[in-house]
Amino acid sequence: MSRASHRPRLVDVAEHAAVSLATASRALAGREGVSTEVADRIRQVARELGYVANPYARTLASGATSTVGLIVHQVDDPYFSEIAAGVIQLASEQGLLVQICQSGRDPDYELQQLRHLIAQRVGIVLISGSGYDDPRMESAARAELAAFQDHGGRAAAIGRHALGVDAVLPDNEAGGHALAQHLMDLGHRRIAVAAGSAGLTTVADRLAGVSSALRERGRSPADLAVVNSDFTRGGGRAAAEQILNDHPETTAIIALNDAMAMGVLSTLRSRRVPVPARMSVVGFDDVSVAADLAPSLTTIRLPMTEMGRTALTLALKPRTTRPRRRPTGHLLVVRDSTGPAPRT
Amino acid sequence: MSRASHRPRLVDVAEHAAVSLATASRALAGREGVSTEVADRIRQVARELGYVANPYARTLASGATSTVGLIVHQVDDPYFSEIAAGVIQLASEQGLLVQICQSGRDPDYELQQLRHLIAQRVGIVLISGSGYDDPRMESAARAELAAFQDHGGRAAAIGRHALGVDAVLPDNEAGGHALAQHLMDLGHRRIAVAAGSAGLTTVADRLAGVSSALRERGRSPADLAVVNSDFTRGGGRAAAEQILNDHPETTAIIALNDAMAMGVLSTLRSRRVPVPARMSVVGFDDVSVAADLAPSLTTIRLPMTEMGRTALTLALKPRTTRPRRRPTGHLLVVRDSTGPAPRT
DNA sequence: CTAGGGTACGTAAGCGCTTACGTAAGCGCT
DNA sequence: AGCGCTTACGTAAGCGCTTACGTACCCTAG
C-alpha cells in the first residue's frame, strides 16, 4: 500500500508559522510555555492547512492512546448496541475513536479479545456483558486488566462486577425483586423464570432478586420453576417451550432479559396462549423495541445508552485507588404483557 | 498517562534470537529473504516472549494501517448493527480492528466523520446507509473518498451507490417491486407507502420498484399514497397516523424499511386496526426481530451481516480501475402481516 | 550593576517499527 | 581462477510526533 502522505505534517505548520516543531506541538496541545499570540498564529496556520495530527506518531511518541476498546457479546443484540451507541456518542464528542470487539458470549474468546485490545495499545478498555461464575475465567480477565491499569491503561466494566475495575452497575437484584413483586401483586402464584445461561452473574443476581421477593411473601423459592437457556430470542423460545411442557400450571413468566422475553412471546403466540389473559410475561432491560412489541412488554428499564456514556466517563476520570461503583437507576415499566392472574 | 511499556519489543525478540532487527521484522512479517530455520527460531522466540507488534509504530513506519473505519447512521438500529456485526466478524478473523462512527443520519455530520476517519489514517473506510439526493453532499463525500484512495486507502460502500467506490448493493428496486406485486396478488388496490426521508436514494429506489409494479398492472402511480417521514420506528408511527387520516381507503401499507414497519404496526395496534384482516403491512430488510413481531412481518430479506462481510472483502482485494458493484440477493419473506385484501 | 529566577522558545533525542541499501558468502559458469 | 548472480542477513535512515533539556531574554531583588 503506498504511503498515504501528502497530508500536512507538524513541520509544515511549524514552518508556515515560523516557529520550531516543539513550539508548534505545544501550542496545538494547548500546553503552556507559548505566548498567546504565537499560539493563536500556530492554530490559525494549522486550520488553514487542514492539519490533523497523525495519531500513530502521536501515540508512538507519547505513549498515550486516544482510542477506546469496547468489548460486547454481540453488537446486533439491542442491549449491547444501545450501550455501544452511548459509548460512541461520548467518544465522538471527546475526539476519541472506538474499537469494537465481539466476544460471542464465549469467555475464552472474550479473554482473547481483551488481550488483543490491550496488545493493540488502546488507552481505555470498556468491557460489557455479564460476568462468569467460573472463578478461573474471571481472575484471568482480572489479572489482565490489573496489568493493563498498572501500565497506565484505564478500564471500566458495564453491567458487570468483580473485575477489579470501575463499574457501572444496574441493581439486578432489585430489578428482579420488583418484577416478582409486580407479578405477585397481580395475583400470580405459579411463576416461572426463563433464565440465561447458568454461570452468568447477571442471571444469578436477577434470580436472587426474584427469589427474595417470593421469600418475603412467604413463598418457598422451591415453588419457582427456573429454566436455563441463553440470553437470546432463541433461548427464550426454548425456555418457553420447556415451561409450557414441564410446568403447565404457570401463569407468569419472568424472562431475565428482553431478548428472551421476545422469544417467550413468540412461542406463546405460536402456541396460541393469550398474553396476558392466560400468561403474563415480563422482561428485563427495556430495549427500545420492547415498547413496540405486541403486546408491549412489561420490563425493567435500564438506561443502556447512559450506562455506556457513564462507563467511558468513569474511565476518563483519574483513577482512584479503589475501584468505583456507579449504580444505575432502574424502573419497572408496566405495559400490556402483564395482567391479573387468570382464575383457575 | 505513564508509558504503557514493559511489553516486549521487536529488539527483544531479535536479541533473544541473535539476529538483527531487520531479520526479525522480515521473519515475523513473513516476507522472504530469511532462511526457514532462522524464521522458525524467530517466530518461536516471539511466541515465548508474548511479542505483539506495536501497531502504532508499525503504521508510522510503513504507512499501512490495519484498522477499518465503519460509518453507520446509528449503531442501535438493527439494520446497521447487523451490518456492523458482519464487518466486525470478518475483521476480527483478519486481525483488523474496526472503528465505528455514527453519522446520525445527518449528511454534514457524516462527511465530517468521514474526514475524521481519514485524518485518523484508517486504511479502509466502509460507509453504509443510504446516500443523499443532494448532489453537493454526495460529491463532497465522493471527492474525499477519491483523494483517500489516491493516497492508497481502500473504501467500499454498503447499500449505497454513486460514491465512486466499490459497493455492495441490494436491488432495492426489485425488492420494492416484489412487495407491491405480492400485495396486488392478494387483491390490494389501495396501497400506501410509508417512506423514509425524501432525499434518500434508498427511498427513491425502493419507491421506484413499487411504482413500476403498479404500472405493469395498469395502475396509475398517482393511486399510490406516499407519505414521507423517516426511517425509524417513530417515523413509521407518524406515517401510519397520516395514512389512516388522509387515506382511509388504504388496505395495505408498504413501509420502506422494517423499523418503519414496526412503527406502523404499533400505530395500527393502538388504533385497533387488525393486521392483516383490515390492513396488510410489509417491511424491507428483514431485521432479525421481524420474525418475532406480532404479527410476524412480511418483508424483503437482505443479508445484512453478509453485506458487511462482503464490503470488507471487497475493500481488502486489490483495487480495480473501475469501481466494482457486488449485488446482494434479496428474497420476499411472506409472514403473517399480509393477507387478502378485505372485501368492502 | 549583577545575581537569580521565570518565561518563551529552540534543539535534539527518542518512541518501535519498516525497508532501502550494503555486504558477505555461496553457487555455477566460462 | 575470476566473474557475476543470487541468497541471507546486517546497517541505518527514517515515519511524524512528544518532551527533556538547553538557551536567550527580560524582570525583579539585593
Side-chain angles (χ1 to χ4, degrees):
Chain A
M1 207 179 280
S2 81
R3 303 223 50 263
S5 72
H6 301 314
R7 295 195 148 267
R9 294 157 307 162
L10 188 55
V11 263
D12 302 322
V13 175
E15 272 174 19
H16 280 251
V19 294
S20 78
L21 212 60
T23 306
S25 171
R26 275 187 289 254
L28 295 176
R31 233 164 319 123
E32 58 180 9
V34 187
S35 66
T36 333
E37 23 182 353
V38 174
D40 282 346
R41 178 156 44 97
I42 293 174
R43 273 190 289 266
Q44 171 65 18
V45 170
R47 210 171 310 120
E48 283 168 8
L49 263 53
Y51 171 76
V52 181
N54 182 323
Y56 294 90
R58 183 197 289 270
T59 299
L60 184 57
S62 72
T65 21
S66 63
T67 113
V68 0
L70 172 64
I71 300 182
V72 299
H73 284 180
Q74 243 185 295
V75 287
D76 54 349
D77 173 325
Y79 172 77
F80 292 106
S81 65
E82 289 182 31
I83 288 177
V87 171
I88 294 172
Q89 262 174 29
L90 181 55
S92 148
E93 290 165 20
Q94 304 279 325
L96 303 171
L97 247 21
V98 178
Q99 297 190 331
I100 295 202
C101 292
Q102 300 191 114
S103 68
R105 305 176 189 283
D106 173 348
D108 288 300
Y109 193 61
E110 179 175 82
L111 187 57
Q112 192 183 320
Q113 295 285 350
L114 175 60
R115 294 209 170 104
H116 190 218
L117 276 178
I118 294 176
Q120 292 282 322
R121 273 73 171 180
V122 299
I124 295 177
V125 168
L126 263 28
I127 182 166
S128 70
S130 176
Y132 303 95
D133 270 345
D134 183 346
R136 269 176 319 149
M137 219 63 239
E138 290 294 293
S139 70
R142 201 192 175 93
E144 207 71 35
L145 285 170
F148 174 62
Q149 293 193 119
D150 286 347
H151 292 347
R154 308 289 185 74
I158 304 171
R160 182 166 181 159
H161 44 210
L163 241 29
V165 300
D166 294 346
V168 12
L169 275 179
D171 192 337
N172 285 314
E173 196 165 335
H177 191 276
L179 288 174
Q181 216 157 39
H182 168 63
L183 291 173
M184 290 188 293
D185 287 346
L186 288 168
H188 294 276
R189 323 201 97 248
R190 316 307 300 252
I191 298 177
V193 175
S197 321
L200 295 182
T201 55
T202 306
V203 171
D205 293 346
R206 294 181 179 178
L207 199 48
V210 172
S211 302
S212 79
L214 292 201
R215 229 177 295 115
E216 283 169 17
R217 303 258 177 125
R219 312 275 175 81
S220 154
D223 284 352
L224 197 68
V226 177
V227 172
N228 281 98
S229 177
D230 70 89
F231 264 162
T232 62
R233 288 203 306 279
R237 280 194 292 263
E241 292 287 353
Q242 195 178 332
I243 289 168
L244 290 178
N245 292 340
D246 301 354
H247 308 280
E249 71 287 2
T250 302
T251 64
I253 298 180
I254 299 180
L256 291 189
N257 78 355
D258 284 355
M260 292 195 81
M262 293 178 65
V264 168
L265 288 176
S266 164
T267 289
L268 293 177
R269 191 169 353 109
S270 59
R271 296 272 219 114
R272 313 215 168 283
V273 178
V275 176
R278 166 69 185 79
M279 183 79 81
S280 284
V281 175
V282 301
F284 205 118
D285 291 344
D286 198 22
V287 300
S288 68
V289 290
D292 276 322
L293 298 175
S296 59
L297 188 66
T298 295
T299 187
I300 295 289
R301 169 170 304 166
L302 256 35
M304 276 87 75
T305 303
E306 193 191 311
M307 284 161 67
R309 294 183 66 105
T310 308
L312 182 51
T313 310
L314 270 174
L316 285 171
K317 280 191 194 152
R319 264 203 88 197
T320 51
T321 23
R322 292 171 40 100
R324 291 161 291 193
R325 291 270 167 104
R326 182 92 72 204
T328 70
H330 65 273
L331 181 69
L332 174 69
V333 183
V334 179
R335 299 206 183 90
D336 304 335
S337 66
T338 46
R343 315 269 177 92
T344 347
Chain B
M1 207 180 282
S2 82
R3 301 222 53 263
S5 72
H6 301 314
R7 295 194 148 268
R9 294 158 306 160
L10 188 55
V11 264
D12 301 322
V13 176
E15 272 173 19
H16 280 251
V19 294
S20 77
L21 211 59
T23 306
S25 171
R26 276 188 288 253
L28 294 176
R31 232 163 319 125
E32 58 180 9
V34 188
S35 66
T36 332
E37 26 183 351
V38 174
D40 282 346
R41 177 156 44 95
I42 293 173
R43 274 190 288 265
Q44 173 65 18
V45 170
R47 210 171 309 119
E48 282 168 9
L49 263 52
Y51 170 77
V52 181
N54 181 325
Y56 293 91
R58 183 197 288 271
T59 298
L60 185 56
S62 72
T65 21
S66 64
T67 113
V68 0
L70 171 64
I71 301 182
V72 299
H73 283 179
Q74 242 185 295
V75 287
D76 54 349
D77 174 324
Y79 172 76
F80 292 106
S81 64
E82 289 181 33
I83 288 177
V87 172
I88 294 172
Q89 264 174 28
L90 181 56
S92 150
E93 290 164 20
Q94 304 279 325
L96 303 171
L97 247 20
V98 178
Q99 298 191 329
I100 295 202
C101 293
Q102 301 191 111
S103 69
R105 303 174 192 282
D106 172 348
D108 288 301
Y109 193 60
E110 180 174 83
L111 188 57
Q112 192 182 320
Q113 296 284 351
L114 175 60
R115 294 211 171 103
H116 191 218
L117 277 178
I118 294 177
Q120 292 283 322
R121 273 77 170 178
V122 298
I124 295 176
V125 168
L126 263 28
I127 182 164
S128 69
S130 174
Y132 303 95
D133 270 344
D134 183 346
R136 269 175 319 147
M137 222 60 241
E138 290 293 294
S139 70
R142 200 192 175 93
E144 207 71 35
L145 286 170
F148 174 62
Q149 294 194 118
D150 286 347
H151 292 348
R154 307 288 186 76
I158 304 171
R160 183 164 179 160
H161 44 210
L163 240 31
V165 298
D166 293 346
V168 11
L169 275 179
D171 192 338
N172 285 314
E173 197 165 333
H177 190 277
L179 288 174
Q181 217 157 41
H182 168 64
L183 291 174
M184 289 188 293
D185 287 346
L186 288 168
H188 293 277
R189 323 201 97 247
R190 313 311 297 252
I191 299 177
V193 176
S197 320
L200 295 182
T201 56
T202 306
V203 170
D205 294 345
R206 295 181 178 178
L207 198 49
V210 172
S211 301
S212 78
L214 292 201
R215 231 176 296 117
E216 284 168 16
R217 303 260 178 124
R219 312 271 176 84
S220 154
D223 283 352
L224 196 68
V226 177
V227 173
N228 281 97
S229 176
D230 71 88
F231 264 161
T232 62
R233 290 204 305 281
R237 279 194 293 265
E241 293 287 353
Q242 196 179 334
I243 289 168
L244 292 177
N245 292 340
D246 301 355
H247 309 278
E249 72 288 2
T250 303
T251 62
I253 298 180
I254 299 179
L256 292 188
N257 78 352
D258 283 356
M260 292 194 83
M262 295 179 61
V264 168
L265 288 176
S266 165
T267 290
L268 294 177
R269 188 167 359 105
S270 59
R271 295 271 218 116
R272 314 216 166 282
V273 178
V275 176
R278 168 68 186 79
M279 182 81 80
S280 285
V281 176
V282 299
F284 204 118
D285 291 343
D286 198 22
V287 300
S288 68
V289 291
D292 275 323
L293 298 175
S296 59
L297 188 66
T298 294
T299 187
I300 295 288
R301 172 171 301 166
L302 257 34
M304 275 85 76
T305 304
E306 194 192 311
M307 285 161 66
R309 294 184 66 106
T310 308
L312 183 50
T313 310
L314 227 44
L316 285 172
K317 280 192 193 150
R319 263 203 89 196
T320 52
T321 22
R322 291 171 42 102
R324 291 163 290 194
R325 291 270 166 104
R326 182 92 71 202
T328 70
H330 66 273
L331 182 69
L332 174 68
V333 183
V334 178
R335 298 206 185 90
D336 304 336
S337 66
T338 46
R343 315 266 176 95
T344 348

